[in-house]
Amino acid sequence: MRNYTLTEARNQHGKVFDQAAVEPILLTKQSRPSHVIMSFDTYKRLIERLTKLEDMALGKAAEAALSQSQMVGTKTFVETLNQLANGET
């Protein structure tokens, strides 16, 4: 990832945005990370990937909680959820 100071980004905005179309650009202020510029497509892929990872993590947590559950009717509940998920109900 390339980096530019905020001043460099202001003075060379065309170059910075052209580069951001290829890879994310880190902007720094007083030698510290400040902002990241990236193309919309890169941002969209990032958000989609994060959403998938969150879904996977939540699914695993739900499976773990369910497998440890001592709730009465758990089997019926799970079967009903599976039927709903498969469009059978």
Side-chain angles (χ1 to χ4, degrees), residues 7 30-31 41 43 70 86-87:
T7 301
Q30 298 176 346
S31 301
D41 289 337
Y43 174 77
Q70 300 299 317
N86 294 325

Side-chain angles (χ1 to χ4, degrees), residues 58-76:
L58 289 172
K60 287 180 182 179
E63 286 176 0
L66 187 58
S67 70
Q68 297 171 8
S69 176
Q70 300 299 317
M71 183 174 67
V72 174
T74 299
K75 184 176 180 182
T76 304

